[in-house]
Amino acid sequence: MTDAHPTDEQLSAALDGADQAAADHAAGCPSCRTRLAQLQAVATAVAVPPAPLDQLAKERAMAQALASARGASARNESTVSLSARRRVPGWVGIAAAVLVALVVVPLLVRDGPSGNDVASKSTGQGSVADVASEVAAADGGDLGSVDDAQALRAIVAPGLGQSMAAGGAGSAADSTGAAGQGAARPNAGRGPAASPTSTTVPAAPQAQNAPASGLTTGGRPNPPCASTTRQRYGQGLASLVYAATLTWQGTPAVALGYSVTTSGGSLNHRVFVLARSTCIVLTVLSL
Amino acid sequence: MAAARDGDDQALDQLLRRHYDRIYAVCRRLAGNDADGADATQEALIAIVKGLPRFDGTSRFSTWAYRVSVNRTLDELRRRARRPSVGLDDAVLTSMAAAPIDVAQRVDVDQALSRLPVDFRACVVLRDLCGLDYAEIAHVLAIPPGTVRSRIARGRAALVPLLGNPAPDPGRPSPQP
């Protein structure tokens, strides 16, 4: 190495392992070693990742990205289904509705506990704590086809308001063993239609004019994707207070509304719309 | 990856989740604040999803994703033209590096980075935050590797006084443009 000091560019490259001569010089030169340490301090400071985005914002971004992927295909499917519908006789639709009522709905709720004994059954999908949080969900019914967040918000909000009013004094059956004793549990007051004296969870109020979704009939606590939602986004979520089926931008989906534990703000509920088959989040609302 | 490219929602979800934190980090650092960082990340994710069918696999997915993310973020920054520092010329950059700064004026990483021209900021972030080498950064930003090396050096030098370190020894040679 010559006596000439390396430039900042050379020292910076030395920091990156791209200039061995400059690194060798700095090893024996106090001035350059100091400068190298300064550049290293900058690199170290920049290397610290920023604080992560909150989970809700992350899920929104993910949902938007996935929705953009589905956009074109959903439009194509919509076109196909409209043209195909013209060729389908009317009785096929009736038969399909009967089939759904007889087969699909029982399948959806088959893992839930029997309506009269929440405490005695395991759902097979979620933890006991999960079940305790899900027992009082209102059945929002089948919301039909919904394509944008604003429309969904308008549909879901009354259901959440209804559930909040109905659940003001209630406590739900406690799947941890308090059932049968009329024990209250945390957050039970947020849930709808829960009886303070009975272990039976009565049918929850439905959204106006919406047919039952079958997700919470008779207090069935475990709609599709509830366990996944708990596992992934459980932080900050209290009770599941609302469940409904819908077709979101062409994708069969469930809407799960949770009360949230954050206080002091106007954010009271979070509604996840998840693809029914994969439980991927399609969109998230804060209400 | 192949499944995600073929439209498998679950595979796409997993792919995005795996890379989300890094994508957010680079968007956030380039944007300079939470709100713009979140917007830029969302735009970047959408661009990645839409561009995925065109990803040819000649580079690592992460490198390609960075490229999409950085370009989206820089486009957004330029479009909004919110940053008065965007377009700082060489003289300003050099004076930033040379000017002594009082302790009270020292700023955090975001503020420091926001004072760099975006092209320099991108190089420094991709190198020091994302750990890309010069060739990968050159690929991401579509500039020559020599330019990457120069911008990283000049960017770091400009950040030295801003991130709480003493001003450089005036007797030392200044970086070459």
Side-chain angles (χ1 to χ4, degrees), chain A residues 51-102:
Chain A
L53 209 55
D54 71 80
Q55 190 69 15
L56 180 59
K58 177 177 178 177
E59 292 307 327
R60 278 182 174 149
M62 293 283 300
Q64 286 290 332
L66 291 169
S68 75
R70 282 190 307 274
S73 60
R75 280 192 294 274
N76 291 338
E77 285 168 12
S78 174
T79 305
V80 170
S81 66
L82 282 172
S83 58
R85 194 177 299 164
R86 296 190 188 100
R87 299 192 297 270
V88 177
W91 62 266
V92 173
I94 298 170
V98 171
L99 187 64
V100 167
L102 294 178

Side-chain angles (χ1 to χ4, degrees), chain A residues 6 12 16 48 53 59 233, chain B residues 20 29 127 134 156 172:
Chain A
S12 174
D16 298 326
V48 176
L53 209 55
E59 292 307 327
Y233 321 114
Chain B
Y20 179 89
R29 283 296 188 222
R127 173 63 203 149
Y134 292 174
R156 283 172 174 165
R172 287 191 42 74

Side-chain angles (χ1 to χ4, degrees), chain A residues 118-189:
Chain A
V118 173
S120 64
K121 303 264 186 175
S122 165
T123 65
Q125 290 186 34
S127 66
V128 169
D130 288 348
V131 177
S133 297
E134 322 297 25
V135 292
D139 185 347
D142 182 6
L143 307 180
S145 182
V146 185
D147 290 330
D148 67 84
Q150 198 168 1
L152 180 63
R153 185 182 295 271
I155 295 169
V156 168
L160 287 169
Q162 195 176 42
S163 70
M164 291 170 68
S171 67
D174 186 343
S175 67
T176 60
Q181 301 167 32
R185 63 176 172 78
N187 300 322

Side-chain angles (χ1 to χ4, degrees), chain A:
Chain A
M1 193 76 203
T2 65
D3 288 342
H5 293 296
T7 63
D8 270 355
E9 182 173 334
Q10 290 168 320
L11 286 176
S12 174
L15 203 60
D16 298 326
D19 193 328
Q20 189 56 46
D24 291 342
H25 172 96
C29 172
S31 170
C32 290
R33 205 161 51 239
T34 300
R35 185 59 175 165
L36 195 60
Q38 292 172 345
L39 296 171
Q40 175 68 71
V42 167
T44 301
V46 175
V48 176
L53 209 55
D54 71 80
Q55 190 69 15
L56 180 59
K58 177 177 178 177
E59 292 307 327
R60 278 182 174 149
M62 293 283 300
Q64 286 290 332
L66 291 169
S68 75
R70 282 190 307 274
S73 60
R75 280 192 294 274
N76 291 338
E77 285 168 12
S78 174
T79 305
V80 170
S81 66
L82 282 172
S83 58
R85 194 177 299 164
R86 296 190 188 100
R87 299 192 297 270
V88 177
W91 62 266
V92 173
I94 298 170
V98 171
L99 187 64
V100 167
L102 294 178
V103 178
V104 177
V105 170
L107 283 176
L108 284 174
V109 299
R110 72 185 190 283
D111 290 333
S114 65
N116 290 339
D117 186 7
V118 173
S120 64
K121 303 264 186 175
S122 165
T123 65
Q125 290 186 34
S127 66
V128 169
D130 288 348
V131 177
S133 297
E134 322 297 25
V135 292
D139 185 347
D142 182 6
L143 307 180
S145 182
V146 185
D147 290 330
D148 67 84
Q150 198 168 1
L152 180 63
R153 185 182 295 271
I155 295 169
V156 168
L160 287 169
Q162 195 176 42
S163 70
M164 291 170 68
S171 67
D174 186 343
S175 67
T176 60
Q181 301 167 32
R185 63 176 172 78
N187 300 322
R190 299 164 187 249
S195 165
T197 57
S198 170
T199 57
T200 300
V201 180
Q206 293 177 17
Q208 289 179 349
N209 303 322
S213 69
L215 299 179
T216 59
T217 302
R220 301 281 187 184
N222 202 23
C225 303
S227 296
T228 303
T229 308
R230 276 265 171 234
Q231 287 162 10
R232 283 189 180 173
Y233 321 114
Q235 189 175 11
L237 299 182
S239 301
L240 175 69
V241 295
Y242 179 89
T245 56
L246 73 160
T247 301
W248 173 256
Q249 296 179 347
T251 301
V254 291
L256 303 178
Y258 292 83
S259 54
V260 292
T261 53
T262 52
S263 59
S266 58
L267 183 66
N268 294 316
H269 294 90
R270 195 164 291 165
V271 178
F272 294 81
V273 177
L274 306 102
R276 202 156 174 160
S277 58
T278 60
C279 294
I280 289 173
V281 174
L282 305 177
T283 192
V284 184
L285 299 180
S286 295
L287 299 167

